[in-house]
Amino acid sequence: MRTTTALRTLAAALLTSGVLAVSATGTTATAAPPTLARGHGGGGGAFFGPWTLGVVVAPGFLDVRQLPTPFSPVVNRLLPGFQDRVQCVVLGPSFNGNPYWFWLTGVRAWAPAGSVFTYGARVPYC
């Protein structure tokens, strides 16, 4: 499949701005507008806007859950390197020694914070 210069430029702009979401299977890609975060700050580092880019850094598939607890039903499995928007963080039951959980807006599920890298950005509390 051939791509035009305009399409390549658009894809590069979406990738660098962090609004290109790719599914775990890598078969689809959609651009989505940022959403407003709820809560009042928290965490360290810089705040990059109403949401923060997060990258899955789990050594294998990461199970994301319906509720912010390791006992909640799994709603999706993400591959290492998967990127999504982190909207906010809550304190919950500890998972691998980390009690924080991130809400991922694209997959609409909770992920343990220790498995998602946010480039040192401050993530607001939910």
Side-chain angles (χ1 to χ4, degrees):
M1 174 163 108
R2 292 187 54 200
T3 60
T4 65
T5 303
L7 184 58
R8 285 191 300 268
T9 303
L10 176 61
L14 290 171
L15 282 170
T16 57
S17 66
V19 296
L20 185 66
V22 180
S23 73
T25 60
T27 58
T28 61
T30 58
T35 58
L36 296 177
R38 300 166 292 188
H40 346 280
F47 183 59
F48 294 122
W51 54 268
T52 301
L53 177 65
V55 179
V56 172
V57 292
F61 281 103
L62 174 64
D63 292 337
V64 291
R65 301 179 179 275
Q66 186 176 13
L67 298 171
T69 169
F71 311 108
S72 179
V74 173
V75 296
N76 206 338
R77 299 185 81 202
L78 308 179
L79 290 167
F82 178 84
Q83 296 182 6
D84 200 349
R85 294 174 294 156
V86 177
Q87 183 172 344
C88 58
V89 63
V90 296
L91 186 62
S94 185
F95 181 80
N96 288 338
N98 188 331
Y100 294 99
W101 291 78
F102 289 145
W103 175 251
L104 303 179
T105 61
V107 293
R108 300 186 53 76
W110 293 97
S115 299
V116 178
F117 180 66
T118 60
Y119 300 92
R122 183 186 74 153
V123 176
Y125 286 105
C126 297

mmCIF file of all heavy atoms in Angstrom, residues 12-41:
data_model
loop_
_atom_site.group_PDB
_atom_site.id
_atom_site.type_symbol
_atom_site.label_atom_id
_atom_site.label_comp_id
_atom_site.label_asym_id
_atom_site.label_seq_id
_atom_site.Cartn_x
_atom_site.Cartn_y
_atom_site.Cartn_z
ATOM 1 N N ALA A 12 3.053 11.072 11.542
ATOM 2 C CA ALA A 12 4.178 11.519 12.374
ATOM 3 C C ALA A 12 3.717 12.527 13.410
ATOM 4 O O ALA A 12 4.121 12.476 14.573
ATOM 5 C CB ALA A 12 5.278 12.111 11.501
ATOM 6 N N ALA A 13 2.836 13.452 13.022
ATOM 7 C CA ALA A 13 2.327 14.453 13.964
ATOM 8 C C ALA A 13 1.510 13.792 15.066
ATOM 9 O O ALA A 13 1.625 14.147 16.241
ATOM 10 C CB ALA A 13 1.484 15.492 13.223
ATOM 11 N N LEU A 14 0.670 12.816 14.712
ATOM 12 C CA LEU A 14 -0.133 12.128 15.716
ATOM 13 C C LEU A 14 0.743 11.317 16.659
ATOM 14 O O LEU A 14 0.498 11.271 17.864
ATOM 15 C CB LEU A 14 -1.167 11.226 15.050
ATOM 16 C CG LEU A 14 -2.293 11.951 14.328
ATOM 17 C CD1 LEU A 14 -3.130 10.968 13.531
ATOM 18 C CD2 LEU A 14 -3.154 12.712 15.301
ATOM 19 N N LEU A 15 1.760 10.673 16.145
ATOM 20 C CA LEU A 15 2.663 9.888 16.992
ATOM 21 C C LEU A 15 3.424 10.776 17.962
ATOM 22 O O LEU A 15 3.557 10.464 19.135
ATOM 23 C CB LEU A 15 3.648 9.088 16.139
ATOM 24 C CG LEU A 15 3.087 7.824 15.516
ATOM 25 C CD1 LEU A 15 4.072 7.251 14.513
ATOM 26 C CD2 LEU A 15 2.772 6.807 16.581
ATOM 27 N N THR A 16 3.938 11.905 17.484
ATOM 28 C CA THR A 16 4.733 12.762 18.361
ATOM 29 C C THR A 16 3.880 13.499 19.375
ATOM 30 O O THR A 16 4.357 13.853 20.432
ATOM 31 C CB THR A 16 5.566 13.779 17.560
ATOM 32 O OG1 THR A 16 4.690 14.560 16.750
ATOM 33 C CG2 THR A 16 6.598 13.089 16.699
ATOM 34 N N SER A 17 2.596 13.720 19.071
ATOM 35 C CA SER A 17 1.733 14.387 20.042
ATOM 36 C C SER A 17 1.098 13.407 21.005
ATOM 37 O O SER A 17 0.472 13.797 21.973
ATOM 38 C CB SER A 17 0.649 15.194 19.329
ATOM 39 O OG SER A 17 -0.232 14.322 18.644
ATOM 40 N N GLY A 18 1.258 12.114 20.759
ATOM 41 C CA GLY A 18 0.754 11.103 21.678
ATOM 42 C C GLY A 18 -0.722 10.820 21.558
ATOM 43 O O GLY A 18 -1.315 10.274 22.474
ATOM 44 N N VAL A 19 -1.364 11.194 20.451
ATOM 45 C CA VAL A 19 -2.790 10.932 20.331
ATOM 46 C C VAL A 19 -3.103 9.801 19.379
ATOM 47 O O VAL A 19 -4.255 9.570 19.042
ATOM 48 C CB VAL A 19 -3.585 12.195 19.907
ATOM 49 C CG1 VAL A 19 -3.504 13.248 20.958
ATOM 50 C CG2 VAL A 19 -3.126 12.699 18.560
ATOM 51 N N LEU A 20 -2.111 9.072 18.924
ATOM 52 C CA LEU A 20 -2.370 7.919 18.079
ATOM 53 C C LEU A 20 -2.421 6.689 18.962
ATOM 54 O O LEU A 20 -1.463 6.361 19.632
ATOM 55 C CB LEU A 20 -1.266 7.767 17.025
ATOM 56 C CG LEU A 20 -1.479 6.659 16.010
ATOM 57 C CD1 LEU A 20 -2.693 7.000 15.144
ATOM 58 C CD2 LEU A 20 -0.261 6.498 15.135
ATOM 59 N N ALA A 21 -3.557 6.011 18.986
ATOM 60 C CA ALA A 21 -3.720 4.809 19.799
ATOM 61 C C ALA A 21 -3.706 3.605 18.880
ATOM 62 O O ALA A 21 -4.426 3.572 17.894
ATOM 63 C CB ALA A 21 -5.028 4.873 20.575
ATOM 64 N N VAL A 22 -2.918 2.623 19.210
ATOM 65 C CA VAL A 22 -2.819 1.413 18.399
ATOM 66 C C VAL A 22 -3.289 0.244 19.239
ATOM 67 O O VAL A 22 -2.939 0.122 20.397
ATOM 68 C CB VAL A 22 -1.361 1.190 17.938
ATOM 69 C CG1 VAL A 22 -1.255 -0.060 17.089
ATOM 70 C CG2 VAL A 22 -0.859 2.399 17.180
ATOM 71 N N SER A 23 -4.082 -0.624 18.652
ATOM 72 C CA SER A 23 -4.608 -1.748 19.404
ATOM 73 C C SER A 23 -3.495 -2.724 19.752
ATOM 74 O O SER A 23 -2.420 -2.704 19.168
ATOM 75 C CB SER A 23 -5.695 -2.455 18.593
ATOM 76 O OG SER A 23 -5.107 -3.183 17.544
ATOM 77 N N ALA A 24 -3.777 -3.614 20.701
ATOM 78 C CA ALA A 24 -2.784 -4.589 21.136
ATOM 79 C C ALA A 24 -2.357 -5.505 20.000
ATOM 80 O O ALA A 24 -1.246 -5.985 19.985
ATOM 81 C CB ALA A 24 -3.336 -5.416 22.303
ATOM 82 N N THR A 25 -3.215 -5.721 19.044
ATOM 83 C CA THR A 25 -2.850 -6.575 17.912
ATOM 84 C C THR A 25 -2.150 -5.789 16.826
ATOM 85 O O THR A 25 -1.597 -6.372 15.911
ATOM 86 C CB THR A 25 -4.104 -7.249 17.313
ATOM 87 O OG1 THR A 25 -5.004 -6.229 16.871
ATOM 88 C CG2 THR A 25 -4.766 -8.159 18.307
ATOM 89 N N GLY A 26 -2.194 -4.450 16.913
ATOM 90 C CA GLY A 26 -1.511 -3.622 15.940
ATOM 91 C C GLY A 26 -2.228 -3.528 14.613
ATOM 92 O O GLY A 26 -1.648 -3.123 13.626
ATOM 93 N N THR A 27 -3.521 -3.854 14.577
ATOM 94 C CA THR A 27 -4.222 -3.877 13.301
ATOM 95 C C THR A 27 -5.015 -2.612 13.023
ATOM 96 O O THR A 27 -5.369 -2.364 11.894
ATOM 97 C CB THR A 27 -5.184 -5.072 13.230
ATOM 98 O OG1 THR A 27 -6.103 -4.980 14.325
ATOM 99 C CG2 THR A 27 -4.424 -6.372 13.304
ATOM 100 N N THR A 28 -5.302 -1.810 14.048
ATOM 101 C CA THR A 28 -6.064 -0.596 13.816
ATOM 102 C C THR A 28 -5.388 0.575 14.503
ATOM 103 O O THR A 28 -4.628 0.407 15.446
ATOM 104 C CB THR A 28 -7.504 -0.709 14.380
ATOM 105 O OG1 THR A 28 -7.421 -0.910 15.791
ATOM 106 C CG2 THR A 28 -8.267 -1.833 13.727
ATOM 107 N N ALA A 29 -5.676 1.770 14.013
ATOM 108 C CA ALA A 29 -5.138 2.981 14.622
ATOM 109 C C ALA A 29 -6.190 4.068 14.501
ATOM 110 O O ALA A 29 -6.800 4.232 13.457
ATOM 111 C CB ALA A 29 -3.850 3.415 13.931
ATOM 112 N N THR A 30 -6.412 4.795 15.599
ATOM 113 C CA THR A 30 -7.372 5.876 15.569
ATOM 114 C C THR A 30 -6.801 7.074 16.302
ATOM 115 O O THR A 30 -6.080 6.925 17.286
ATOM 116 C CB THR A 30 -8.694 5.475 16.253
ATOM 117 O OG1 THR A 30 -8.409 5.090 17.592
ATOM 118 C CG2 THR A 30 -9.376 4.339 15.526
ATOM 119 N N ALA A 31 -7.110 8.249 15.826
ATOM 120 C CA ALA A 31 -6.719 9.467 16.515
ATOM 121 C C ALA A 31 -7.874 9.872 17.412
ATOM 122 O O ALA A 31 -9.026 9.799 17.016
ATOM 123 C CB ALA A 31 -6.414 10.565 15.517
ATOM 124 N N ALA A 32 -7.567 10.295 18.627
ATOM 125 C CA ALA A 32 -8.616 10.675 19.560
ATOM 126 C C ALA A 32 -8.250 11.982 20.233
ATOM 127 O O ALA A 32 -7.093 12.213 20.546
ATOM 128 C CB ALA A 32 -8.786 9.587 20.614
ATOM 129 N N PRO A 33 -9.224 12.844 20.467
ATOM 130 C CA PRO A 33 -8.932 14.098 21.147
ATOM 131 C C PRO A 33 -8.670 13.852 22.627
ATOM 132 O O PRO A 33 -9.168 12.882 23.196
ATOM 133 C CB PRO A 33 -10.220 14.903 20.954
ATOM 134 C CG PRO A 33 -11.274 13.872 20.813
ATOM 135 C CD PRO A 33 -10.618 12.717 20.106
ATOM 136 N N PRO A 34 -7.879 14.703 23.273
ATOM 137 C CA PRO A 34 -7.649 14.534 24.704
ATOM 138 C C PRO A 34 -8.922 14.813 25.488
ATOM 139 O O PRO A 34 -9.784 15.554 25.034
ATOM 140 C CB PRO A 34 -6.570 15.573 25.020
ATOM 141 C CG PRO A 34 -6.655 16.564 23.926
ATOM 142 C CD PRO A 34 -7.165 15.833 22.721
ATOM 143 N N THR A 35 -9.025 14.199 26.662
ATOM 144 C CA THR A 35 -10.170 14.444 27.527
ATOM 145 C C THR A 35 -9.692 15.179 28.760
ATOM 146 O O THR A 35 -8.519 15.136 29.111
ATOM 147 C CB THR A 35 -10.832 13.122 27.953
ATOM 148 O OG1 THR A 35 -9.850 12.332 28.620
ATOM 149 C CG2 THR A 35 -11.371 12.369 26.768
ATOM 150 N N LEU A 36 -10.595 15.834 29.439
ATOM 151 C CA LEU A 36 -10.229 16.562 30.645
ATOM 152 C C LEU A 36 -10.104 15.608 31.813
ATOM 153 O O LEU A 36 -10.935 14.741 32.009
ATOM 154 C CB LEU A 36 -11.276 17.632 30.967
ATOM 155 C CG LEU A 36 -11.393 18.736 29.919
ATOM 156 C CD1 LEU A 36 -12.510 19.693 30.299
ATOM 157 C CD2 LEU A 36 -10.085 19.483 29.777
ATOM 158 N N ALA A 37 -9.049 15.780 32.581
ATOM 159 C CA ALA A 37 -8.816 14.931 33.739
ATOM 160 C C ALA A 37 -9.587 15.463 34.935
ATOM 161 O O ALA A 37 -9.800 16.651 35.078
ATOM 162 C CB ALA A 37 -7.329 14.886 34.056
ATOM 163 N N ARG A 38 -9.989 14.547 35.797
ATOM 164 C CA ARG A 38 -10.643 14.924 37.036
ATOM 165 C C ARG A 38 -9.612 14.875 38.148
ATOM 166 O O ARG A 38 -8.596 14.228 38.019
ATOM 167 C CB ARG A 38 -11.760 13.939 37.364
ATOM 168 C CG ARG A 38 -12.819 13.867 36.308
ATOM 169 C CD ARG A 38 -13.666 12.662 36.535
ATOM 170 N NE ARG A 38 -12.827 11.487 36.274
ATOM 171 C CZ ARG A 38 -13.261 10.262 36.221
ATOM 172 N NH1 ARG A 38 -14.498 10.006 36.422
ATOM 173 N NH2 ARG A 38 -12.448 9.268 35.968
ATOM 174 N N GLY A 39 -9.880 15.521 39.253
ATOM 175 C CA GLY A 39 -9.018 15.384 40.419
ATOM 176 C C GLY A 39 -8.145 16.590 40.657
ATOM 177 O O GLY A 39 -8.282 17.622 40.022
ATOM 178 N N HIS A 40 -7.239 16.441 41.598
ATOM 179 C CA HIS A 40 -6.406 17.550 42.022
ATOM 180 C C HIS A 40 -4.941 17.183 42.084
ATOM 181 O O HIS A 40 -4.423 16.999 43.152
ATOM 182 C CB HIS A 40 -6.776 18.055 43.405
ATOM 183 C CG HIS A 40 -8.073 17.568 43.932
ATOM 184 N ND1 HIS A 40 -9.264 18.115 43.555
ATOM 185 C CD2 HIS A 40 -8.385 16.573 44.784
ATOM 186 C CE1 HIS A 40 -10.244 17.507 44.195
ATOM 187 N NE2 HIS A 40 -9.742 16.567 44.921
ATOM 188 N N GLY A 41 -4.304 16.986 41.033
ATOM 189 C CA GLY A 41 -2.859 16.801 41.036
ATOM 190 C C GLY A 41 -2.416 15.537 41.732
ATOM 191 O O GLY A 41 -3.199 14.698 42.110
#
